[in-house]
Amino acid sequence: MSLPCRHLVVVLGDQLDPQSSAFDGFDAARDRVWMCEATEESTHVWSSQQRIVQFLAAMRHFAAALRERGLPLDYETLREGGLADALGEALVRWRPQRVRLTWPGDWRVLQALRLAVGDTPLDLLEDRHFFCSAERFARHARGRRTLRLETFYREMRREHGVLMDGDGPCGGVWNLDSENRSAFGTQGPGFLPPPARFEPDALTAEVIALVRARFGEHPGQAEPFGWPVTRAQALQALHQFIDERLAHFGHWQDAMWGGEPWLYHAQLSAALNLKLLHPRELVAAAEGAWRAGRVPLASAEGFIRQILGWREYVRGVYWLKMPAYADHNALDARLALPAWYWSGDTPMRCLSDAIGQTLRHGYAHHIQRLMVTGLFALLYGVEPKQVHAWYLSVYVDAVEWVELPNTLGMSQYADGGLLASKPYIATGRYIERMSDHCRGCRFDPGQRTGDRACPFTTLYWDFLVRHAARFAAHPRLAPQIRHLDRIGPEERAAIAARAAWVRGGGLG
Ligand code: FAD
Ligand code: SF4
């Protein structure tokens, strides 16, 4: 039996930073790092192959870097079962005086590991990869009847001195979102700077082969794989984004175009969530680029709002409200997720494009997630838990603290308006305006009844009918509800019949 160690430092798959709090005071002579690839992390939801490769490849590169630096490491390659059992065995092996763990990104994992350590003292440490701690967010929330991003975002800007000009915001306004909603127009985006993609090295190629062999029946595909899996690659991706795409990011933030998965987006969420990058680095780089006159304020502010605003805000909501948050279903949505969410095999062009690239790359940008896949599930009436399981499965950046509030709160309004002030609903006209999808689609976004009616448009009106009582007095939805007055009984019946056709499997 091996000698007992002082600290067993647990490093989870989304904690790949040697500067994180669990490493504070690490003594290579007395302490040991423990990492484990547990299959349950890929099977508790039906993780896509791309997502599994992302996590395992990044973990193995991180482990290699630790070994190179001479840190004692107990690294368990893919083993059946959960993290808790594996940690239990590691505790028997190393008999540490204390276990050190940076706060995990998933409530389920936190509970499991807490139980697993048993009587061994556990140091649960602040995750310094965020601007706002859970405790700081709780202070923000205290005494407020509603939580709103804008209030929180301004607090964060002031507190961290980001894009500030004295006491006020640079440029005189806090939020330049109104400048960030352009579509590409009929000619499309034109030349797009190529995204930062990285050829798999031997270690990543080994992981790809493992995932194909062990998780080959999981959704999506393991290849091509080009995501950053090391800090050096993540930094390169960050610099490339700042130099080549940030200038146009704001303007085209909400635009979509068929067959163009990357556009002007950062594609940095996975690197951030795995802690290969620090959000402060992104915020400083974006602000620096604006101050140097290289990018417009609307782009820098739009990007910073996502990181310092939304990303921190959803994490705050997650830790404030879990575990009850996961059970919310304010709109009483009960239907099963259509099976084609796992294949992209649907005649609706917008959805087949968004789901197709999701399964190929583990990626879709925000508007595709919110206003295509999310919007359809919301209007259709899918049970929020099933929508949540899908989003957690398919994206390379999916970790529950960020995925769950975005899905349940922002996209499905399942929390009844805690996170977002209103449900994000629209007809197919929104997708028509923001993309080229409708041009080649067999449906017509302008029609709500009949054989060519766009399912989004039909389900939008059906949603208003179904939830009219709930939203009749809602300050922002009431005008939409009032439009129902202009629809006579015959047309209402036709909408209901068409909605029943969509839900009854008419789309395949
Ligand atoms: P960009 O569009 O270039 O944005 C820059 C960065 O801002 C992102 O890298 C991300 O870190 C941050 N960001 C932007 N919007 C948000 C947001 N709403 N919440 C948190 N951070 C944000 N993001 C995840 O990281 N993981 C998820 O599992 C996830 N699930 C989502 C599910 C739904 C239903 C929705 C609507 C959004 C989800 N998002 C999630 C937020 C957002 O869609 C992704 O962060 C973004 O698309 C990642 O691509 P990007 O790096 O190119 O982002
Ligand atoms: Fe999507 Fe409707 Fe447009 Fe077809 S017509 S691409 S289903 S919004």
Side-chain angles (χ1 to χ4, degrees), residues 249 265-269 272-273 303 306-307 310-311 363-366 369 391 397-398 402-403 406-407 410-411:
F249 169 83
H265 291 272
Q267 301 141 53
L268 292 171
S269 47
L272 264 178
N273 296 349
F303 181 68
Q306 311 309 315
I307 309 280
W310 279 112
R311 188 168 184 271
Y363 178 83
H365 70 70
H366 188 66
R369 298 188 205 197
Y391 279 97
D397 56 28
V402 54
E403 177 278 326
N406 267 300
T407 303
M410 190 189 301
S411 154

PDB file of all heavy atoms in Angstrom, residues 249 265-269 272-273 303 306-307 310-311 363-366 369 391 397-398 402-403 406-407 410-411, ligand 1:
ATOM      1  N   PHE A 249     -18.229  41.283 -35.000  1.00  0.00           N
ATOM      2  CA  PHE A 249     -19.028  40.421 -34.122  1.00  0.00           C
ATOM      3  C   PHE A 249     -20.358  41.077 -33.749  1.00  0.00           C
ATOM      4  O   PHE A 249     -21.436  40.494 -33.909  1.00  0.00           O
ATOM      5  CB  PHE A 249     -18.226  40.069 -32.860  1.00  0.00           C
ATOM      6  CG  PHE A 249     -19.030  39.420 -31.774  1.00  0.00           C
ATOM      7  CD1 PHE A 249     -19.272  38.055 -31.801  1.00  0.00           C
ATOM      8  CD2 PHE A 249     -19.564  40.161 -30.723  1.00  0.00           C
ATOM      9  CE1 PHE A 249     -20.029  37.444 -30.807  1.00  0.00           C
ATOM     10  CE2 PHE A 249     -20.310  39.559 -29.722  1.00  0.00           C
ATOM     11  CZ  PHE A 249     -20.550  38.201 -29.774  1.00  0.00           C
ATOM     12  N   HIS A 265     -18.504  34.642 -34.846  1.00  0.00           N
ATOM     13  CA  HIS A 265     -18.551  34.292 -33.424  1.00  0.00           C
ATOM     14  C   HIS A 265     -17.169  33.882 -32.906  1.00  0.00           C
ATOM     15  O   HIS A 265     -16.284  33.531 -33.682  1.00  0.00           O
ATOM     16  CB  HIS A 265     -19.594  33.206 -33.179  1.00  0.00           C
ATOM     17  CG  HIS A 265     -20.974  33.738 -33.396  1.00  0.00           C
ATOM     18  ND1 HIS A 265     -21.692  34.332 -32.391  1.00  0.00           N
ATOM     19  CD2 HIS A 265     -21.723  33.841 -34.511  1.00  0.00           C
ATOM     20  CE1 HIS A 265     -22.845  34.764 -32.872  1.00  0.00           C
ATOM     21  NE2 HIS A 265     -22.887  34.484 -34.162  1.00  0.00           N
ATOM     22  N   ALA A 266     -17.048  33.891 -31.573  1.00  0.00           N
ATOM     23  CA  ALA A 266     -15.742  33.670 -30.949  1.00  0.00           C
ATOM     24  C   ALA A 266     -15.348  32.192 -30.908  1.00  0.00           C
ATOM     25  O   ALA A 266     -14.165  31.866 -30.953  1.00  0.00           O
ATOM     26  CB  ALA A 266     -15.758  34.225 -29.528  1.00  0.00           C
ATOM     27  N   GLN A 267     -16.331  31.337 -30.768  1.00  0.00           N
ATOM     28  CA  GLN A 267     -16.086  29.899 -30.585  1.00  0.00           C
ATOM     29  C   GLN A 267     -15.116  29.648 -29.420  1.00  0.00           C
ATOM     30  O   GLN A 267     -14.245  28.791 -29.496  1.00  0.00           O
ATOM     31  CB  GLN A 267     -15.534  29.271 -31.859  1.00  0.00           C
ATOM     32  CG  GLN A 267     -16.448  29.424 -33.057  1.00  0.00           C
ATOM     33  CD  GLN A 267     -15.655  29.710 -34.310  1.00  0.00           C
ATOM     34  OE1 GLN A 267     -14.737  28.969 -34.613  1.00  0.00           O
ATOM     35  NE2 GLN A 267     -15.987  30.764 -35.014  1.00  0.00           N
ATOM     36  N   LEU A 268     -15.262  30.444 -28.381  1.00  0.00           N
ATOM     37  CA  LEU A 268     -14.346  30.327 -27.237  1.00  0.00           C
ATOM     38  C   LEU A 268     -15.038  29.753 -26.000  1.00  0.00           C
ATOM     39  O   LEU A 268     -14.409  29.582 -24.964  1.00  0.00           O
ATOM     40  CB  LEU A 268     -13.765  31.706 -26.899  1.00  0.00           C
ATOM     41  CG  LEU A 268     -12.812  32.287 -27.953  1.00  0.00           C
ATOM     42  CD1 LEU A 268     -12.466  33.741 -27.623  1.00  0.00           C
ATOM     43  CD2 LEU A 268     -11.522  31.455 -28.047  1.00  0.00           C
ATOM     44  N   SER A 269     -16.324  29.445 -26.111  1.00  0.00           N
ATOM     45  CA  SER A 269     -17.067  29.036 -24.913  1.00  0.00           C
ATOM     46  C   SER A 269     -16.524  27.747 -24.308  1.00  0.00           C
ATOM     47  O   SER A 269     -16.410  27.629 -23.087  1.00  0.00           O
ATOM     48  CB  SER A 269     -18.550  28.873 -25.239  1.00  0.00           C
ATOM     49  OG  SER A 269     -18.703  28.126 -26.427  1.00  0.00           O
ATOM     50  N   LEU A 272     -13.277  28.457 -22.533  1.00  0.00           N
ATOM     51  CA  LEU A 272     -13.564  29.190 -21.291  1.00  0.00           C
ATOM     52  C   LEU A 272     -14.118  28.259 -20.217  1.00  0.00           C
ATOM     53  O   LEU A 272     -13.671  28.279 -19.073  1.00  0.00           O
ATOM     54  CB  LEU A 272     -14.640  30.228 -21.563  1.00  0.00           C
ATOM     55  CG  LEU A 272     -14.256  31.657 -21.863  1.00  0.00           C
ATOM     56  CD1 LEU A 272     -15.524  32.458 -22.142  1.00  0.00           C
ATOM     57  CD2 LEU A 272     -13.508  32.272 -20.703  1.00  0.00           C
ATOM     58  N   ASN A 273     -15.090  27.456 -20.611  1.00  0.00           N
ATOM     59  CA  ASN A 273     -15.776  26.625 -19.619  1.00  0.00           C
ATOM     60  C   ASN A 273     -14.875  25.527 -19.077  1.00  0.00           C
ATOM     61  O   ASN A 273     -15.061  25.064 -17.959  1.00  0.00           O
ATOM     62  CB  ASN A 273     -17.055  26.031 -20.212  1.00  0.00           C
ATOM     63  CG  ASN A 273     -18.054  27.113 -20.579  1.00  0.00           C
ATOM     64  OD1 ASN A 273     -17.881  28.277 -20.216  1.00  0.00           O
ATOM     65  ND2 ASN A 273     -19.097  26.751 -21.304  1.00  0.00           N
ATOM     66  N   PHE A 303     -19.687  41.991 -27.041  1.00  0.00           N
ATOM     67  CA  PHE A 303     -18.939  40.790 -26.650  1.00  0.00           C
ATOM     68  C   PHE A 303     -18.758  40.747 -25.125  1.00  0.00           C
ATOM     69  O   PHE A 303     -19.019  39.720 -24.482  1.00  0.00           O
ATOM     70  CB  PHE A 303     -17.589  40.796 -27.364  1.00  0.00           C
ATOM     71  CG  PHE A 303     -16.742  39.602 -27.071  1.00  0.00           C
ATOM     72  CD1 PHE A 303     -17.109  38.338 -27.522  1.00  0.00           C
ATOM     73  CD2 PHE A 303     -15.565  39.725 -26.335  1.00  0.00           C
ATOM     74  CE1 PHE A 303     -16.320  37.223 -27.246  1.00  0.00           C
ATOM     75  CE2 PHE A 303     -14.768  38.611 -26.069  1.00  0.00           C
ATOM     76  CZ  PHE A 303     -15.157  37.364 -26.524  1.00  0.00           C
ATOM     77  N   GLN A 306     -21.715  39.632 -23.125  1.00  0.00           N
ATOM     78  CA  GLN A 306     -21.944  38.179 -23.072  1.00  0.00           C
ATOM     79  C   GLN A 306     -21.117  37.533 -21.951  1.00  0.00           C
ATOM     80  O   GLN A 306     -21.576  36.632 -21.265  1.00  0.00           O
ATOM     81  CB  GLN A 306     -21.574  37.500 -24.404  1.00  0.00           C
ATOM     82  CG  GLN A 306     -22.143  38.129 -25.650  1.00  0.00           C
ATOM     83  CD  GLN A 306     -23.632  38.365 -25.575  1.00  0.00           C
ATOM     84  OE1 GLN A 306     -24.379  37.495 -25.138  1.00  0.00           O
ATOM     85  NE2 GLN A 306     -24.069  39.547 -25.965  1.00  0.00           N
ATOM     86  N   ILE A 307     -19.875  38.027 -21.811  1.00  0.00           N
ATOM     87  CA  ILE A 307     -18.958  37.388 -20.854  1.00  0.00           C
ATOM     88  C   ILE A 307     -19.194  37.903 -19.422  1.00  0.00           C
ATOM     89  O   ILE A 307     -19.437  37.135 -18.498  1.00  0.00           O
ATOM     90  CB  ILE A 307     -17.483  37.705 -21.229  1.00  0.00           C
ATOM     91  CG1 ILE A 307     -17.200  37.396 -22.706  1.00  0.00           C
ATOM     92  CG2 ILE A 307     -16.503  36.998 -20.297  1.00  0.00           C
ATOM     93  CD1 ILE A 307     -16.963  35.979 -23.021  1.00  0.00           C
ATOM     94  N   TRP A 310     -24.025  38.129 -19.281  1.00  0.00           N
ATOM     95  CA  TRP A 310     -24.811  36.893 -19.332  1.00  0.00           C
ATOM     96  C   TRP A 310     -24.146  35.701 -18.658  1.00  0.00           C
ATOM     97  O   TRP A 310     -24.756  34.951 -17.910  1.00  0.00           O
ATOM     98  CB  TRP A 310     -25.139  36.525 -20.788  1.00  0.00           C
ATOM     99  CG  TRP A 310     -26.312  37.292 -21.302  1.00  0.00           C
ATOM    100  CD1 TRP A 310     -26.289  38.247 -22.276  1.00  0.00           C
ATOM    101  CD2 TRP A 310     -27.677  37.188 -20.869  1.00  0.00           C
ATOM    102  NE1 TRP A 310     -27.567  38.747 -22.460  1.00  0.00           N
ATOM    103  CE2 TRP A 310     -28.428  38.116 -21.615  1.00  0.00           C
ATOM    104  CE3 TRP A 310     -28.335  36.415 -19.910  1.00  0.00           C
ATOM    105  CZ2 TRP A 310     -29.810  38.278 -21.445  1.00  0.00           C
ATOM    106  CZ3 TRP A 310     -29.711  36.576 -19.737  1.00  0.00           C
ATOM    107  CH2 TRP A 310     -30.427  37.492 -20.492  1.00  0.00           C
ATOM    108  N   ARG A 311     -22.863  35.503 -18.970  1.00  0.00           N
ATOM    109  CA  ARG A 311     -22.195  34.289 -18.466  1.00  0.00           C
ATOM    110  C   ARG A 311     -22.178  34.286 -16.929  1.00  0.00           C
ATOM    111  O   ARG A 311     -22.450  33.274 -16.280  1.00  0.00           O
ATOM    112  CB  ARG A 311     -20.779  34.229 -19.042  1.00  0.00           C
ATOM    113  CG  ARG A 311     -20.046  32.939 -18.774  1.00  0.00           C
ATOM    114  CD  ARG A 311     -18.777  32.866 -19.634  1.00  0.00           C
ATOM    115  NE  ARG A 311     -18.115  31.582 -19.452  1.00  0.00           N
ATOM    116  CZ  ARG A 311     -17.214  31.342 -18.524  1.00  0.00           C
ATOM    117  NH1 ARG A 311     -16.860  32.298 -17.678  1.00  0.00           N
ATOM    118  NH2 ARG A 311     -16.670  30.138 -18.418  1.00  0.00           N
ATOM    119  N   TYR A 363     -21.429  22.518 -32.092  1.00  0.00           N
ATOM    120  CA  TYR A 363     -21.500  23.975 -31.993  1.00  0.00           C
ATOM    121  C   TYR A 363     -22.696  24.548 -32.747  1.00  0.00           C
ATOM    122  O   TYR A 363     -23.007  24.107 -33.861  1.00  0.00           O
ATOM    123  CB  TYR A 363     -20.226  24.601 -32.582  1.00  0.00           C
ATOM    124  CG  TYR A 363     -20.247  26.113 -32.547  1.00  0.00           C
ATOM    125  CD1 TYR A 363     -19.891  26.801 -31.391  1.00  0.00           C
ATOM    126  CD2 TYR A 363     -20.660  26.851 -33.660  1.00  0.00           C
ATOM    127  CE1 TYR A 363     -19.945  28.192 -31.343  1.00  0.00           C
ATOM    128  CE2 TYR A 363     -20.715  28.242 -33.617  1.00  0.00           C
ATOM    129  CZ  TYR A 363     -20.343  28.899 -32.462  1.00  0.00           C
ATOM    130  OH  TYR A 363     -20.403  30.275 -32.403  1.00  0.00           O
ATOM    131  N   ALA A 364     -23.349  25.504 -32.151  1.00  0.00           N
ATOM    132  CA  ALA A 364     -24.280  26.390 -32.853  1.00  0.00           C
ATOM    133  C   ALA A 364     -24.182  27.711 -32.110  1.00  0.00           C
ATOM    134  O   ALA A 364     -23.927  27.720 -30.905  1.00  0.00           O
ATOM    135  CB  ALA A 364     -25.710  25.860 -32.796  1.00  0.00           C
ATOM    136  N   HIS A 365     -24.363  28.821 -32.829  1.00  0.00           N
ATOM    137  CA  HIS A 365     -24.223  30.084 -32.104  1.00  0.00           C
ATOM    138  C   HIS A 365     -25.530  30.430 -31.384  1.00  0.00           C
ATOM    139  O   HIS A 365     -26.528  29.722 -31.504  1.00  0.00           O
ATOM    140  CB  HIS A 365     -23.664  31.202 -32.989  1.00  0.00           C
ATOM    141  CG  HIS A 365     -24.578  31.703 -34.046  1.00  0.00           C
ATOM    142  ND1 HIS A 365     -25.699  32.437 -33.767  1.00  0.00           N
ATOM    143  CD2 HIS A 365     -24.529  31.587 -35.399  1.00  0.00           C
ATOM    144  CE1 HIS A 365     -26.305  32.759 -34.885  1.00  0.00           C
ATOM    145  NE2 HIS A 365     -25.611  32.241 -35.897  1.00  0.00           N
ATOM    146  N   HIS A 366     -25.466  31.500 -30.617  1.00  0.00           N
ATOM    147  CA  HIS A 366     -26.529  31.783 -29.657  1.00  0.00           C
ATOM    148  C   HIS A 366     -27.916  31.875 -30.300  1.00  0.00           C
ATOM    149  O   HIS A 366     -28.891  31.316 -29.781  1.00  0.00           O
ATOM    150  CB  HIS A 366     -26.199  33.077 -28.920  1.00  0.00           C
ATOM    151  CG  HIS A 366     -27.124  33.359 -27.789  1.00  0.00           C
ATOM    152  ND1 HIS A 366     -27.163  32.556 -26.662  1.00  0.00           N
ATOM    153  CD2 HIS A 366     -28.058  34.308 -27.608  1.00  0.00           C
ATOM    154  CE1 HIS A 366     -28.081  33.024 -25.848  1.00  0.00           C
ATOM    155  NE2 HIS A 366     -28.631  34.091 -26.394  1.00  0.00           N
ATOM    156  N   ARG A 369     -29.327  28.596 -31.161  1.00  0.00           N
ATOM    157  CA  ARG A 369     -29.793  27.847 -29.975  1.00  0.00           C
ATOM    158  C   ARG A 369     -31.100  28.440 -29.439  1.00  0.00           C
ATOM    159  O   ARG A 369     -32.006  27.720 -29.038  1.00  0.00           O
ATOM    160  CB  ARG A 369     -28.724  27.884 -28.866  1.00  0.00           C
ATOM    161  CG  ARG A 369     -27.425  27.233 -29.274  1.00  0.00           C
ATOM    162  CD  ARG A 369     -26.466  27.105 -28.093  1.00  0.00           C
ATOM    163  NE  ARG A 369     -25.080  27.048 -28.560  1.00  0.00           N
ATOM    164  CZ  ARG A 369     -24.069  26.626 -27.840  1.00  0.00           C
ATOM    165  NH1 ARG A 369     -24.247  26.198 -26.616  1.00  0.00           N
ATOM    166  NH2 ARG A 369     -22.836  26.630 -28.340  1.00  0.00           N
ATOM    167  N   TYR A 391     -29.635  19.814 -24.827  1.00  0.00           N
ATOM    168  CA  TYR A 391     -28.591  20.846 -24.894  1.00  0.00           C
ATOM    169  C   TYR A 391     -27.344  20.427 -24.123  1.00  0.00           C
ATOM    170  O   TYR A 391     -26.223  20.721 -24.527  1.00  0.00           O
ATOM    171  CB  TYR A 391     -29.113  22.189 -24.361  1.00  0.00           C
ATOM    172  CG  TYR A 391     -29.918  22.958 -25.384  1.00  0.00           C
ATOM    173  CD1 TYR A 391     -31.299  22.904 -25.402  1.00  0.00           C
ATOM    174  CD2 TYR A 391     -29.294  23.723 -26.351  1.00  0.00           C
ATOM    175  CE1 TYR A 391     -32.034  23.599 -26.347  1.00  0.00           C
ATOM    176  CE2 TYR A 391     -30.016  24.423 -27.309  1.00  0.00           C
ATOM    177  CZ  TYR A 391     -31.390  24.355 -27.296  1.00  0.00           C
ATOM    178  OH  TYR A 391     -32.108  25.044 -28.241  1.00  0.00           O
ATOM    179  N   ASP A 397     -19.446  22.996 -25.373  1.00  0.00           N
ATOM    180  CA  ASP A 397     -19.297  23.922 -24.242  1.00  0.00           C
ATOM    181  C   ASP A 397     -20.298  23.640 -23.120  1.00  0.00           C
ATOM    182  O   ASP A 397     -20.447  24.441 -22.196  1.00  0.00           O
ATOM    183  CB  ASP A 397     -19.455  25.369 -24.714  1.00  0.00           C
ATOM    184  CG  ASP A 397     -20.790  25.618 -25.428  1.00  0.00           C
ATOM    185  OD1 ASP A 397     -21.779  24.918 -25.129  1.00  0.00           O
ATOM    186  OD2 ASP A 397     -20.840  26.512 -26.292  1.00  0.00           O
ATOM    187  N   ALA A 398     -21.011  22.507 -23.208  1.00  0.00           N
ATOM    188  CA  ALA A 398     -22.110  22.298 -22.266  1.00  0.00           C
ATOM    189  C   ALA A 398     -21.627  21.801 -20.903  1.00  0.00           C
ATOM    190  O   ALA A 398     -21.093  20.705 -20.773  1.00  0.00           O
ATOM    191  CB  ALA A 398     -23.112  21.306 -22.856  1.00  0.00           C
ATOM    192  N   VAL A 402     -24.042  26.571 -16.869  1.00  0.00           N
ATOM    193  CA  VAL A 402     -24.328  27.556 -17.919  1.00  0.00           C
ATOM    194  C   VAL A 402     -25.446  27.073 -18.838  1.00  0.00           C
ATOM    195  O   VAL A 402     -26.271  27.858 -19.301  1.00  0.00           O
ATOM    196  CB  VAL A 402     -23.036  27.937 -18.694  1.00  0.00           C
ATOM    197  CG1 VAL A 402     -22.315  26.750 -19.239  1.00  0.00           C
ATOM    198  CG2 VAL A 402     -23.305  28.934 -19.818  1.00  0.00           C
ATOM    199  N   GLU A 403     -25.486  25.775 -19.061  1.00  0.00           N
ATOM    200  CA  GLU A 403     -26.495  25.233 -19.992  1.00  0.00           C
ATOM    201  C   GLU A 403     -27.906  25.314 -19.401  1.00  0.00           C
ATOM    202  O   GLU A 403     -28.853  25.713 -20.080  1.00  0.00           O
ATOM    203  CB  GLU A 403     -26.107  23.777 -20.336  1.00  0.00           C
ATOM    204  CG  GLU A 403     -27.089  23.064 -21.225  1.00  0.00           C
ATOM    205  CD  GLU A 403     -28.263  22.509 -20.443  1.00  0.00           C
ATOM    206  OE1 GLU A 403     -28.104  22.097 -19.284  1.00  0.00           O
ATOM    207  OE2 GLU A 403     -29.381  22.531 -20.992  1.00  0.00           O
ATOM    208  N   ASN A 406     -29.674  28.803 -19.253  1.00  0.00           N
ATOM    209  CA  ASN A 406     -29.924  29.250 -20.620  1.00  0.00           C
ATOM    210  C   ASN A 406     -31.093  28.489 -21.232  1.00  0.00           C
ATOM    211  O   ASN A 406     -31.936  29.064 -21.926  1.00  0.00           O
ATOM    212  CB  ASN A 406     -28.677  29.043 -21.486  1.00  0.00           C
ATOM    213  CG  ASN A 406     -27.800  30.278 -21.520  1.00  0.00           C
ATOM    214  OD1 ASN A 406     -28.221  31.343 -21.934  1.00  0.00           O
ATOM    215  ND2 ASN A 406     -26.566  30.136 -21.062  1.00  0.00           N
ATOM    216  N   THR A 407     -31.142  27.188 -20.981  1.00  0.00           N
ATOM    217  CA  THR A 407     -32.184  26.371 -21.598  1.00  0.00           C
ATOM    218  C   THR A 407     -33.514  26.554 -20.878  1.00  0.00           C
ATOM    219  O   THR A 407     -34.509  26.964 -21.476  1.00  0.00           O
ATOM    220  CB  THR A 407     -31.774  24.884 -21.575  1.00  0.00           C
ATOM    221  OG1 THR A 407     -30.524  24.753 -22.235  1.00  0.00           O
ATOM    222  CG2 THR A 407     -32.808  24.020 -22.279  1.00  0.00           C
ATOM    223  N   MET A 410     -33.857  31.052 -20.078  1.00  0.00           N
ATOM    224  CA  MET A 410     -33.912  31.967 -21.217  1.00  0.00           C
ATOM    225  C   MET A 410     -34.721  31.394 -22.370  1.00  0.00           C
ATOM    226  O   MET A 410     -35.545  32.060 -22.973  1.00  0.00           O
ATOM    227  CB  MET A 410     -32.491  32.292 -21.696  1.00  0.00           C
ATOM    228  CG  MET A 410     -32.492  33.417 -22.706  1.00  0.00           C
ATOM    229  SD  MET A 410     -30.904  33.694 -23.495  1.00  0.00           S
ATOM    230  CE  MET A 410     -29.846  34.053 -22.156  1.00  0.00           C
ATOM    231  N   SER A 411     -34.462  30.134 -22.709  1.00  0.00           N
ATOM    232  CA  SER A 411     -35.055  29.611 -23.925  1.00  0.00           C
ATOM    233  C   SER A 411     -36.464  29.039 -23.715  1.00  0.00           C
ATOM    234  O   SER A 411     -37.321  29.217 -24.573  1.00  0.00           O
ATOM    235  CB  SER A 411     -34.091  28.573 -24.509  1.00  0.00           C
ATOM    236  OG  SER A 411     -34.745  27.645 -25.272  1.00  0.00           O
TER     237      SER A 411
HETATM  238  P1  FAD B   1     -20.112  34.137 -28.900  1.00  0.00           P
HETATM  239  O1  FAD B   1     -21.428  34.365 -29.520  1.00  0.00           O
HETATM  240  O2  FAD B   1     -18.947  34.553 -29.701  1.00  0.00           O
HETATM  241  O3  FAD B   1     -20.111  34.845 -27.472  1.00  0.00           O
HETATM  242  C1  FAD B   1     -18.917  35.061 -26.734  1.00  0.00           C
HETATM  243  C2  FAD B   1     -18.907  34.370 -25.417  1.00  0.00           C
HETATM  244  O4  FAD B   1     -19.904  34.892 -24.572  1.00  0.00           O
HETATM  245  C3  FAD B   1     -19.176  32.882 -25.463  1.00  0.00           C
HETATM  246  O5  FAD B   1     -17.985  32.173 -25.709  1.00  0.00           O
HETATM  247  C4  FAD B   1     -19.752  32.577 -24.095  1.00  0.00           C
HETATM  248  O6  FAD B   1     -18.746  32.242 -23.179  1.00  0.00           O
HETATM  249  C5  FAD B   1     -20.374  33.888 -23.678  1.00  0.00           C
HETATM  250  N1  FAD B   1     -21.835  33.841 -23.800  1.00  0.00           N
HETATM  251  C6  FAD B   1     -22.585  34.333 -24.803  1.00  0.00           C
HETATM  252  N2  FAD B   1     -23.894  34.202 -24.517  1.00  0.00           N
HETATM  253  C7  FAD B   1     -23.965  33.578 -23.329  1.00  0.00           C
HETATM  254  C8  FAD B   1     -25.024  33.135 -22.521  1.00  0.00           C
HETATM  255  N3  FAD B   1     -26.309  33.319 -22.862  1.00  0.00           N
HETATM  256  N4  FAD B   1     -24.726  32.511 -21.380  1.00  0.00           N
HETATM  257  C9  FAD B   1     -23.457  32.308 -21.014  1.00  0.00           C
HETATM  258  N5  FAD B   1     -22.395  32.713 -21.730  1.00  0.00           N
HETATM  259  C10 FAD B   1     -22.650  33.343 -22.873  1.00  0.00           C
HETATM  260  N6  FAD B   1     -23.147  28.554 -23.472  1.00  0.00           N
HETATM  261  C11 FAD B   1     -22.236  27.724 -22.959  1.00  0.00           C
HETATM  262  O7  FAD B   1     -21.082  28.112 -22.747  1.00  0.00           O
HETATM  263  N7  FAD B   1     -22.565  26.430 -22.631  1.00  0.00           N
HETATM  264  C12 FAD B   1     -23.816  25.940 -22.840  1.00  0.00           C
HETATM  265  O8  FAD B   1     -24.075  24.774 -22.551  1.00  0.00           O
HETATM  266  C13 FAD B   1     -24.798  26.806 -23.397  1.00  0.00           C
HETATM  267  N8  FAD B   1     -26.068  26.353 -23.624  1.00  0.00           N
HETATM  268  C14 FAD B   1     -26.989  27.204 -24.158  1.00  0.00           C
HETATM  269  C15 FAD B   1     -28.297  26.744 -24.352  1.00  0.00           C
HETATM  270  C16 FAD B   1     -29.263  27.583 -24.876  1.00  0.00           C
HETATM  271  C17 FAD B   1     -30.679  27.095 -25.065  1.00  0.00           C
HETATM  272  C18 FAD B   1     -28.921  28.913 -25.216  1.00  0.00           C
HETATM  273  C19 FAD B   1     -29.949  29.842 -25.775  1.00  0.00           C
HETATM  274  C20 FAD B   1     -27.625  29.378 -25.028  1.00  0.00           C
HETATM  275  C21 FAD B   1     -26.646  28.549 -24.489  1.00  0.00           C
HETATM  276  N9  FAD B   1     -25.327  29.001 -24.266  1.00  0.00           N
HETATM  277  C22 FAD B   1     -24.412  28.148 -23.714  1.00  0.00           C
HETATM  278  C23 FAD B   1     -24.947  30.405 -24.504  1.00  0.00           C
HETATM  279  C24 FAD B   1     -24.382  30.709 -25.907  1.00  0.00           C
HETATM  280  O9  FAD B   1     -25.274  30.238 -26.894  1.00  0.00           O
HETATM  281  C25 FAD B   1     -23.002  30.094 -26.117  1.00  0.00           C
HETATM  282  O10 FAD B   1     -22.145  30.510 -25.075  1.00  0.00           O
HETATM  283  C26 FAD B   1     -22.377  30.578 -27.420  1.00  0.00           C
HETATM  284  O11 FAD B   1     -23.218  30.256 -28.503  1.00  0.00           O
HETATM  285  C27 FAD B   1     -21.010  29.928 -27.591  1.00  0.00           C
HETATM  286  O12 FAD B   1     -20.464  30.254 -28.832  1.00  0.00           O
HETATM  287  P2  FAD B   1     -19.299  31.336 -28.996  1.00  0.00           P
HETATM  288  O13 FAD B   1     -18.176  31.018 -28.097  1.00  0.00           O
HETATM  289  O14 FAD B   1     -18.997  31.426 -30.466  1.00  0.00           O
HETATM  290  O15 FAD B   1     -20.022  32.621 -28.465  1.00  0.00           O
END
